[in-house]
Amino acid sequence: GADGLLLTPSWERGSPEQGEGLWTVEQDTPVVLVERSAPLGHPAARLDRVRSDHAHGAAEAVAHLAGLGHRAIALAVQDSPTAPRLRVGYRAAVAALGLTPVSPSPLDEAPSRSEADRFERTLEYLCQGVASGNVTAAIVHSDADAIVLIPRLQARGVRVPEDLAVIAYDDEVASLADLPLTAVAPDKQAVGAAAARLLLSRLGVDDPGATDTTGPGAGARRHLDILPTLRVRVSCGAAAAAP
């Protein structure tokens, strides 16, 4: 009895693999993908979608750290639908800014087998990078992971932010850490609201608060990217670097 569907399919990489996700285009009702997208050529790429621009968020984090003087920035991400876009934005920003390439996290090639394994391998990766002088800053996804990792880094003699500047990704609990975390914050409320408005417009429901009075209606499909914002706190060292 549903008139329309807002869908966040459980695609492990954030987009469907070959032969996956065809059911999304077989629905009789309007469908809007939320925080998911399909590759060009896939039938689901023709659906309306709204997502956070995670690649932009990662690039903003790299640019902020570069602005603080860091040239060797690591990326440590858990295996999730968000991770592929974070890697895209991170690599693009490192190249665009002419930063020093850093050896990738071992989790990029071999996903973690458990939460404990993820923490242990990420901890070793960052500690070795700092000890060798090859890493001075890191972007960690998610902020919950960063909250767990920072005390372990400190127990190993790695000071945050003095030895390793850290920016977390998600900003769900980053401000609650003992050391408040600078974090990239996807605007999840804005994504949900935009997706709901888009679906309602497909159903012919007028939105009195809409600034676009034409609305998509039955016309061209829309792919909307909502840009995350960077919230600067203590963990990146910006406060210490400020005059």
Side-chain angles (χ1 to χ4, degrees), residues 4-194:
L5 296 171
L6 298 173
L7 296 179
T8 305
S10 56
W11 298 334
E12 291 184 1
R13 300 295 178 183
S15 60
E17 302 292 340
Q18 186 175 4
E20 187 179 27
L22 299 179
W23 62 274
T24 61
V25 299
E26 296 170 352
Q27 307 306 310
D28 295 329
T29 58
V31 169
V32 177
L33 295 177
V34 185
E35 293 290 22
R36 298 290 185 269
S37 61
L40 296 174
H42 190 286
R46 296 193 294 269
L47 295 173
D48 292 307
R49 66 139 170 90
V50 182
R51 68 179 185 182
S52 300
D53 191 340
H54 295 304
H56 176 87
E60 284 291 290
V62 171
H64 182 74
L65 290 168
L68 294 175
H70 296 282
R71 306 295 299 172
I73 302 167
L75 177 69
V77 299
Q78 59 175 281
D79 192 36
S80 73
T82 304
R85 299 305 303 164
L86 295 181
R87 294 187 182 105
V88 167
Y90 163 81
R91 291 166 183 162
V94 167
L97 295 170
L99 303 182
T100 304
V102 171
S103 298
S105 164
L107 297 182
D108 289 1
E109 296 298 328
S112 57
R113 298 178 295 274
S114 66
E115 184 178 84
D117 173 69
R118 181 172 81 245
F119 287 135
E120 187 61 30
R121 292 165 66 197
T122 302
L123 178 64
E124 290 300 323
Y125 168 64
L126 294 176
C127 285
Q128 290 175 14
V130 172
S132 64
N134 293 329
V135 172
T136 64
I139 301 164
V140 179
H141 172 58
S142 64
D143 44 305
D145 275 22
I147 287 176
V148 173
L149 283 167
I150 286 177
R152 298 186 183 189
L153 287 165
Q154 293 170 331
R156 294 277 295 271
V158 177
R159 299 170 300 165
V160 177
E162 294 86 353
D163 300 323
L164 182 71
V166 173
I167 293 182
Y169 197 95
D170 255 357
D171 201 34
E172 292 183 341
V173 293
S175 64
L176 305 178
D178 291 339
L179 179 73
L181 301 173
T182 295
V184 177
D187 194 337
K188 299 174 183 180
Q189 182 174 359
V191 169

